[in-house]
Amino acid sequence: MTKTFSPPTIDTAARAALTRRPRRLRRTEGIRALVRETVVRAEDLIYPLFVVPNERPRVEIKSMPGVYQNRVREAVDEARRAFDAGVRAVLLFGLPDYKDGIGSASWDPTGPVQSAIEAIKRVLPDMTVMAAVCHCEYTDHGHCGVIVDHNGVKDVDNDQTLPLLAKQAVSFAAAGADFVAPSDMMDGRVAAIRRALDGRDMPEVGIMAYSAKFASGFYGPFREAAESAPQFGDRRSYQMDPANIREAIREMELDVDEGADMIMVKPALSYLDVIRAARERFELPVAAYNVSGEYSMVKAAAERGWIDGPRVMGEILTSIKRAGADLIITYHAVEFAEKML
Ligand SMILES: [Zn+2]
């Protein structure tokens, strides 16, 4: 039952004294749009795509509604859909035909990523094509590099992994990638890849470094998508401790010194302070990866009707940009861009 009430009397003296009224700038949508400080553009977004060999079926990833494992032709269709919506960059991940201890399928010139790079560039020459460089999708043990046994303790060997990363990066660049994006967190990988690209006469190919990549629980759904879950142990001996921001800055500094063209913070949402620190500290473009778990949480809650999915998506992407990211890698890219058309 609602009760009727008479409006409270206005204190006229207090009203005369209230001269600063921020609500004036929020009164209409027109005014709000005029004073909006942060706007996410379709061009700020990078759309990740998972590419599988052509013999496999196209499969939707259960934990990531709307995200698929694509064959090459479907990756091209997805890229075209993104381009038509105004998205100007894709980031490719590959699932190979076979896996082994060193991820040798990753530098097969006919591999899914190499084929997708060529096909997308052929159909959409103005699309910026980036390829993620890492071994976890290509190794039978699911780790990001070569495994060695130190007195019974297995770990990824840094220096043995570097030449393999360089080989993979060169292979993607030779297929036509505009950027390679090392995500392994080995020390010295940016310098190793830069040297290898320059040595093969590909100085124009850029490096977007996953500089501050944290060992995060938010990667869960990605491992289903990329079939890259480690078969033993975890990635804490190479990915960063979520507690450390000074170490993140040091990692970014090293990548800048080694020749990275863009630096990245991953994940984004729980690391907005790291994105802000990156923005304040470095002049290079800063990318942030709005990762699979961040995407899946929005989708799952929206499916249950607990949140307004598109609204939360917009709020999340805006917060990442407001924190200082120039570029946002996000599975929401096409949905967000299409909504703005
Ligand atoms: Zn990896």
Side-chain angles (χ1 to χ4, degrees), residues 111-130:
V113 170
Q114 286 85 347
S115 307
I117 295 168
E118 286 166 5
I120 294 171
K121 275 299 194 187
R122 199 162 46 236
V123 177
L124 300 164
D126 295 328
M127 178 67 100
T128 298
V129 177
M130 303 175 155

Side-chain angles (χ1 to χ4, degrees), residues 134-136 144 183-184 213 235:
C134 203
H135 280 89
C136 45
C144 302
S183 76
D184 49 280
K213 181 179 183 181
R235 298 201 169 101

Side-chain angles (χ1 to χ4, degrees), residues 36-174:
R36 189 156 295 137
E37 299 172 34
T38 307
V39 179
V40 178
R41 307 173 308 152
E43 293 90 337
D44 299 329
L45 307 178
I46 300 172
Y47 188 40
L49 290 173
F50 298 98
V51 192
V52 295
N54 286 325
E55 313 74 80
R56 288 179 50 163
R58 183 182 200 231
V59 174
E60 187 174 27
I61 295 141
K62 272 202 289 302
S63 53
M64 301 175 74
V67 178
Y68 292 81
Q69 291 177 339
N70 302 287
R71 289 167 291 193
V72 170
R73 62 177 177 279
E74 291 137 0
V76 173
D77 292 344
E78 281 288 293
R80 189 186 288 110
R81 198 161 71 87
F83 197 83
D84 289 346
V87 175
R88 292 291 174 261
V90 289
L91 174 61
L92 304 183
F93 296 89
L95 288 82
D97 275 320
Y98 65 93
K99 301 191 180 205
D100 61 18
I102 57 166
S104 63
S106 68
W107 52 79
D108 180 340
T110 64
V113 170
Q114 286 85 347
S115 307
I117 295 168
E118 286 166 5
I120 294 171
K121 275 299 194 187
R122 199 162 46 236
V123 177
L124 300 164
D126 295 328
M127 178 67 100
T128 298
V129 177
M130 303 175 155
V133 173
C134 203
H135 280 89
C136 45
E137 295 126 70
Y138 300 95
T139 51
D140 46 18
H141 45 72
H143 277 282
C144 302
V146 179
I147 300 290
V148 288
D149 196 314
H150 290 298
N151 306 318
V153 180
K154 286 182 179 174
D155 195 12
V156 172
D157 187 88
N158 195 85
D159 298 5
Q160 285 187 47
T161 301
L162 296 182
L164 304 185
L165 290 168
K167 207 165 171 172
Q168 189 184 131
V170 163
S171 175
F172 295 153

